[in-house]
Amino acid sequence: MAKKKLTSEQLAVLYLQEKASNSSLDIDEFCKKHDIKAHGQIEAIDKIVCEKVEEKSTLDLEIFDRPILNPKRFGFDFDGECAFHGTYIGDNDYNPEPILIKSDRRYTRQAFFPEKNLKFSDFPPASAHFHLYGWQREAIKQWVRTGKIEDIRRLYSKVKNYLKKYVYHPEPIFHDVVACYILATHIWICFDAFPRLIITAKPDSGKSQLVRAIRNLCFKPTTTGDATKAALFRLANATAGVFVFDNFDNLPDEQKKDVMHFIEISYQSDLPVFRVEDNSKKGGKVPTGFNVGVPLVAATIDLSAFSHAALTRSITLVMERCEVKIDELPDAKPSEDSNSLRQELYAWGLSQAPRLRAAAKDYCCDFTARQAQIARPLLFIASLLEQSLHEKMKVWLFTNFESYHSEDEFSERVQVVRALYECVKGRQEMEVKVAVKAVSEILLSIQGVEKYDSQGRANPRYAGILNGKGQAVSDCLASIPLSRKKMMRGITHYIFQRDALLRHFARYGLLSPEEAQTTLPSTPSTPSTPSTPSTPSTHTTLYTTSDVEVEGVDGVEAKEGTSGCSKVLILKPTPTWKGADGQTYGSFAPGDQPKLPVSEAEWLVKTHFAEHLAPALPAKAGDHPPITRGLKQGSERRADAPCQNEEGDGALPPAPPPSKEAEK
């Protein structure tokens, strides 16, 4: 009996039945199996199959009762109820298979969730790097089976002890800040914005050691020496982990621009980047959004390489050299004592993310505007630990924002002024001539770049770096008042008036009181906008007024016609420092009202660590009124505004009679 010939409609139904048991079956294999050779009939079967599949997907409304697993990111995401942590687990053939682990202790294989927002090609590569710093199989199995997590206080203590073991810093609050930052990276999707962490210091101060310590414990670190902007966008969209840039200074100039742009836009989670991508199904170009918001850590010698926008989105840590030998962390892989701690942090972060996300949105930060966005993750973690740490963190963050969100002692402009000071120190001519090359050489020495190594061999990169610094030095020298440029035998020189140059050095706190009194003219000049002076911890006196000579503290006779001491209100924690008279002052806490020599009081006021409670000196004709800054308001007010005197009556002090020189 002849075999009945099936129609294309019947063959399409048969194909769907067979495909239900063999999902890998395609049309060509089916037609070959049933001896269907006519090309037209094969196309007809394919068309009918597509119509039936489309009709079924349209009418089958039960699909909407299933959970929709469509994470925007493979690394870490939140769907409104559960958090997702994406990782790789080897299948039966030892091939890496991507899965999603949910905060409700369930997991989903990649084959069971739609791939609308994330193509498989966008997944992070299953390399040794992601395996070393990822959530490991045994730790996942233990958490899914038991749900056991460490208490946040115990985790915080372990992280802090790990940092103390490998990273030196004289200030105890330093390790608290870094520990809170590491904990915050494991729940970073709970915040609308996340601060950049910038680590800076002179060479051999432990920057790379700190970077490796953070990398060993933070959430899914990605380290790269060179990557295009497009690669950074795609990698951030896929991994949603911490980006780590060590030795930012070594990046090429073009690469620095790409990384700087990435740093500026990746601090906020709701700022997607759109690019036009190829559409493989329909052809043509379609706009595609990339979620590039991720935590980021960068280490640099030259803080001026970062834009002002990047600094205002950052928390800045300044390292200090350690004379004591400490354990060295391996560069290529995590230390052994970090592996188990990192696995505990992963379990804690995923399980607590849904609960802490709601709490973080209700958390009220004392800062305002962008500073509140930057401070919130650290303050929120501190609030979960203890109140005293929370208060210390607020004070530290306020000081950090004040010091490093403007020009500071580590910026290249300030370093150029210091190099110029070293170049002309001791010269007495009325017009000072300086070569740009000479200042550039001293600048490189300040930044730790030497012409010869310890064995006397020439540095092959020195000439190129020197030429690169020339333009920055020239621009800085040209901005000094009353300067003029001149070419001499092919070398660029700048000529300065000696008095104007000394006043410029005084505003940067480079002159000692003795130098200021003996070299600066008594006629005050119109001040330009000064840079942020160094803090008292640098032991550098910023008092440079030539009209005051203080010989001592209470009980020592001061200059005739002046008050030797001034009472101030301390605004910020002030460490001990050595004054111009050789005596030691401090330490003070916010709210203290010490009575200090005028030079030390003026120094604290200029550095915004204090404000005057009583007039320091009788005002002279032509003097510019001092400026003070409040701790909370941050608004500037003139010293001649109504204020409380020592008796608290709110009256203004009587104005002194004008001097004879002023009358002239």
Side-chain angles (χ1 to χ4, degrees):
M1 183 177 178
K3 187 176 180 180
K4 182 179 179 182
K5 188 175 182 180
L6 301 177
T7 63
S8 298
E9 179 81 18
Q10 293 170 329
L11 287 170
V13 173
L14 181 61
Y15 168 74
L16 292 174
Q17 292 175 352
E18 293 185 8
K19 187 173 178 59
S21 58
N22 182 10
S23 59
S24 62
L25 181 67
D26 59 19
I27 291 291
D28 293 334
E29 292 179 8
F30 173 80
C31 293
K32 187 176 181 181
K33 175 182 176 182
H34 293 277
D35 197 24
I36 302 170
K37 300 179 180 179
H39 184 68
Q41 189 174 16
I42 295 175
E43 287 186 343
I45 295 172
D46 192 13
K47 182 178 180 181
I48 295 172
V49 167
C50 292
E51 292 174 352
K52 288 186 176 294
V53 171
E54 184 177 354
E55 180 182 1
K56 181 178 179 181
S57 61
T58 304
L59 298 177
D60 187 8
L61 299 181
E62 293 181 359
I63 191 173
F64 293 104
D65 295 331
R66 305 174 190 172
I68 299 177
L69 306 177
N70 188 21
K72 298 177 183 178
R73 294 172 165 202
F74 180 69
F76 205 16
D77 203 6
F78 188 80
D79 68 351
E81 295 180 1
C82 293
F84 294 89
H85 183 138
T87 189
Y88 281 94
I89 297 294
D91 60 14
N92 295 333
D93 297 327
Y94 299 100
N95 296 317
E97 180 184 3
I99 67 167
L100 286 175
I101 311 163
K102 300 170 64 177
S103 55
D104 59 3
R105 293 164 53 196
R106 299 181 181 180
Y107 65 91
T108 307
R109 295 178 182 272
Q110 182 269 339
F112 292 101
F113 66 86
E115 302 170 343
K116 294 182 179 178
N117 289 357
L118 189 64
K119 298 179 294 186
F120 185 81
S121 59
D122 290 333
F123 280 47
S127 64
H129 173 83
F130 289 97
H131 173 71
L132 288 174
Y133 299 96
W135 198 358
Q136 297 174 358
R137 175 199 293 267
E138 292 303 320
I140 295 173
K141 288 170 61 178
Q142 180 181 358
W143 178 75
V144 171
R145 184 171 57 249
T146 64
K148 181 181 178 181
I149 60 171
E150 281 281 5
D151 179 72
I152 184 174
R153 291 176 179 83
R154 294 188 62 184
L155 283 175
Y156 167 77
S157 179
K158 290 181 179 180
V159 172
K160 187 175 177 180
N161 291 336
Y162 179 87
L163 293 171
K164 285 183 175 180
K165 179 180 178 181
Y166 293 109
V167 180
Y168 165 79
H169 202 278
E171 296 182 11
I173 188 66
F174 175 88
H175 296 97
D176 293 307
V177 171
V178 180
C180 288
Y181 188 88
I182 290 173
L183 283 168
T185 63
H186 288 269
I187 57 167
W188 75 266
I189 59 171
C190 298
F191 307 101
D192 296 330
F194 205 86
R196 285 52 300 274
L197 189 66
I198 298 180
I199 304 165
T200 184
K202 295 179 180 179
D204 301 325
S205 299
K207 297 186 301 298
S208 296
Q209 180 87 340
L210 176 57
V211 167
R212 289 193 286 269
I214 296 174
R215 175 204 65 186
N216 288 350
L217 298 181
C218 68
F219 179 80
K220 285 197 170 180
T222 298
T223 56
T224 175
D226 190 8
T228 64
K229 189 188 301 185
L232 292 174
F233 290 160
R234 285 169 171 79
L235 197 58
N237 182 73
T239 63
V242 181
F243 273 52
V244 180
F245 295 93
D246 193 9
N247 298 320
F248 181 83
D249 313 82
N250 295 341
L251 293 176
D253 291 339
E254 289 299 322
Q255 181 62 24
K256 283 183 179 178
K257 294 179 181 179
D258 289 347
V259 175
M260 191 60 60
H261 182 231
F262 178 78
I263 291 174
E264 293 172 1
I265 67 174
S266 62
Y267 89 105
Q268 200 163 339
S269 59
D270 59 349
L271 290 177
V273 172
F274 286 91
R275 291 291 184 269
V276 177
E277 299 288 320
D278 292 324
N279 190 332
S280 57
K281 293 183 179 180
K282 298 182 180 180
K285 304 283 187 178
V286 294
T288 304
F290 295 93
N291 294 278
V292 298
V294 290
L296 186 142
V297 178
T300 181
I301 296 175
D302 182 11
L303 197 63
S304 65
F306 288 82
S307 65
H308 179 70
L311 291 176
T312 57
R313 292 158 171 80
S314 306
I315 293 171
T316 307
L317 298 178
V318 181
M319 302 294 295
E320 295 190 18
R321 291 184 179 179
C322 176
E323 303 300 331
V324 182
K325 180 67 176 178
I326 59 177
D327 295 336
E328 189 75 16
L329 286 170
D331 190 15
K333 61 181 180 179
S335 58
E336 294 181 1
D337 53 350
S338 67
N339 289 325
S340 60
L341 179 54
R342 187 173 58 254
Q343 305 307 308
E344 293 174 355
L345 289 167
Y346 280 135
W348 172 81
L350 179 60
S351 62
Q352 298 298 306
R355 179 180 67 84
L356 296 181
R357 182 182 176 90
K361 290 185 177 298
D362 296 334
Y363 173 77
C364 181
C365 186
D366 292 341
F367 294 89
T368 58
R370 180 170 294 149
Q371 289 186 1
Q373 288 183 315
I374 301 306
R376 182 172 283 108
L378 267 68
L379 289 178
F380 179 70
I381 293 294
S383 68
L384 299 177
L385 295 167
E386 56 184 40
Q387 185 62 27
S388 60
L389 177 62
H390 184 262
E391 295 302 320
K392 287 193 299 183
M393 194 72 70
K394 279 199 297 187
V395 174
W396 185 88
L397 284 169
F398 177 83
T399 305
N400 193 268
F401 291 151
E402 285 286 311
S403 301
Y404 296 106
H405 285 189
S406 58
E407 192 174 52
D408 65 281
E409 62 172 324
F410 287 94
S411 68
E412 191 165 66
R413 177 178 175 82
V414 177
Q415 291 177 348
V416 171
V417 176
R418 288 179 178 174
L420 176 62
Y421 173 74
E422 294 295 331
C423 192
V424 304
K425 186 167 59 175
R427 295 169 61 173
Q428 299 296 325
E429 57 265 38
M430 296 304 296
E431 284 195 342
V432 182
K433 182 177 66 175
V434 181
V436 172
K437 182 179 180 181
V439 178
S440 301
E441 289 175 343
I442 298 176
L443 173 63
L444 290 186
S445 178
I446 292 175
Q447 294 180 348
V449 181
E450 300 296 341
K451 191 171 184 179
Y452 301 98
D453 60 16
S454 58
Q455 298 179 359
R457 293 175 298 187
N459 182 356
R461 299 175 57 243
Y462 185 83
I465 298 176
L466 182 66
N467 292 334
K469 294 293 183 183
Q471 185 60 48
V473 171
S474 181
D475 293 342
C476 179
L477 299 183
S479 67
I480 297 177
L482 304 180
S483 63
R484 65 181 189 272
K485 184 177 179 181
K486 189 174 182 179
M487 293 293 295
M488 300 178 183
R489 299 179 181 178
I491 301 176
T492 305
H493 290 74
Y494 279 88
I495 302 174
F496 306 95
Q497 292 187 9
R498 180 173 176 272
D499 292 345
L501 192 59
L502 290 174
R503 286 195 295 269
H504 195 71
F505 290 153
R507 294 188 187 103
Y508 280 84
L510 295 174
L511 299 182
S512 66
E514 293 78 11
E515 288 178 314
Q517 292 166 11
T518 57
T519 59
L520 286 179
S522 58
T523 305
S525 62
T526 302
S528 62
T529 303
S531 68
T532 303
S534 55
T535 61
S537 61
T538 59
H539 302 276
T540 303
T541 300
L542 301 179
Y543 175 69
T544 56
T545 304
S546 61
D547 300 314
V548 180
E549 182 180 11
V550 179
E551 297 181 358
V553 293
D554 290 341
V556 181
E557 183 179 359
K559 187 178 179 180
E560 182 180 358
T562 67
S563 174
C565 294
S566 176
K567 193 172 184 179
V568 295
L569 172 65
I570 300 297
L571 303 178
K572 306 177 186 178
T574 307
T576 303
W577 79 96
K578 192 172 183 180
D581 53 4
Q583 297 197 35
T584 301
Y585 301 96
S587 59
F588 300 117
D592 291 349
Q593 299 182 14
K595 198 171 184 180
L596 300 170
V598 175
S599 60
E600 309 306 318
E602 290 294 327
W603 175 27
L604 292 179
V605 170
K606 288 181 180 180
T607 53
H608 308 310
F609 274 73
E611 64 181 9
H612 284 300
L613 284 180
L617 287 174
K620 289 188 177 183
D623 281 351
H624 295 275
I627 299 296
T628 59
R629 184 179 297 273
L631 176 62
K632 293 186 178 179
Q633 291 81 5
S635 58
E636 295 182 347
R637 103 179 131 76
R638 296 169 62 95
D640 57 359
C643 61
Q644 293 287 338
N645 58 17
E646 292 192 22
E647 287 73 23
D649 57 6
L652 288 173
S659 63
K660 294 182 179 181
E661 293 181 0
E663 290 178 353
K664 292 180 181 180

